[in-house]
Amino acid sequence: MVAAVVVGIGVAMTGGDSEDGGKDDQAGPAPTQSQSSKPSPSASNSAEEQVELPRIDAKALRLAGGATVASDVEGAKADGGFYVAGFNQVGAKVTWTVDGIKESGTYRLYVRYGIPGEDADATVVVNGKPESRPLNMKNFGGTPKGDWEKGWQTTWANVNLTEGTNTIELACNDGNKCNANLDQFWLQTEQGG
């Protein structure tokens, strides 16, 4: 009888973790016993904090000003290969309402984007305040001009967030070069501090 209860509890615990709010989708499958025993306690705490920070496909953001969802350029990592296009016009923007920030501070906003072999940039707006420096979506890979499929890259910018809910916009404003597709956004804590 005791063995049956122990087995039942073990099955419930392992089954419950994988269905808890979809967070395991971000982190991959639950670690095996040998995997979970390798990191030190401080390393596993840092990894848990990074896993808990939000990540989103750009197609799930609030779109405005002509930004639309598309899938004709291969290489987007977002679910189904969908990304945000139509960003290359003044007034286009995507808005991400980020819930669950546990601590005020500086975070890194990562953006995966695609360009046709030419540099781009856009204005980052956090909680209604535009950042002084645009998000640099440079042609870091030196991809050929006009080749959207080879132009998928990642960039980041520091953003100051408050505890709780924050709003992050990426906008094409006057003076920006916004010829880019937007694939995914995610946050990480600043490293090395």
Side-chain angles (χ1 to χ4, degrees):
M1 174 93 166
V2 173
V5 171
V6 170
V7 168
I9 291 172
V11 169
M13 290 175 69
T14 57
D17 286 344
S18 65
E19 297 174 13
D20 190 15
K23 289 190 178 183
D24 284 339
D25 292 342
Q26 298 171 11
T32 64
Q33 186 175 8
S34 64
Q35 288 173 326
S36 64
S37 64
K38 288 181 183 177
S40 67
S42 62
S44 65
N45 286 343
S46 296
E48 286 173 18
E49 287 174 17
Q50 286 183 349
V51 169
E52 290 176 9
L53 288 173
R55 172 185 278 278
I56 193 166
D57 289 345
K59 67 179 182 178
L61 301 173
R62 191 170 65 237
L63 310 180
T68 60
V69 175
S71 64
D72 53 321
V73 176
E74 295 288 322
K77 290 185 178 181
D79 187 37
F82 291 96
Y83 55 87
V84 172
F87 192 67
N88 192 20
Q89 53 192 315
V90 172
K93 68 179 176 179
V94 296
T95 304
W96 183 17
T97 301
V98 183
D99 294 320
I101 298 300
K102 294 185 182 194
E103 188 176 315
S104 295
T106 302
Y107 293 82
R108 284 191 177 171
L109 168 67
Y110 284 86
V111 176
R112 186 165 190 274
Y113 63 96
I115 51 173
E118 59 187 44
D119 295 346
D121 62 39
T123 301
V124 178
V125 181
V126 179
N127 296 324
K129 297 170 75 175
E131 297 290 315
S132 59
R133 292 176 32 173
L135 179 70
N136 184 4
M137 294 185 283
K138 185 177 169 84
N139 185 10
F140 294 112
T143 59
K145 190 164 180 71
D147 193 337
W148 284 93
E149 287 184 19
K150 291 182 180 174
W152 293 107
Q153 301 174 52
T154 301
T155 190
W156 61 270
N158 286 330
V159 292
N160 292 314
L161 303 179
T162 59
E163 183 180 342
T165 301
N166 293 264
T167 302
I168 301 173
E169 281 180 9
L170 192 60
C172 185
N173 292 337
D174 284 324
N176 288 135
K177 298 175 286 183
C178 308
N179 197 20
N181 292 326
L182 306 174
D183 186 16
Q184 295 178 316
F185 287 53
W186 65 97
L187 292 169
Q188 288 186 1
T189 56
E190 268 196 311
Q191 302 298 316

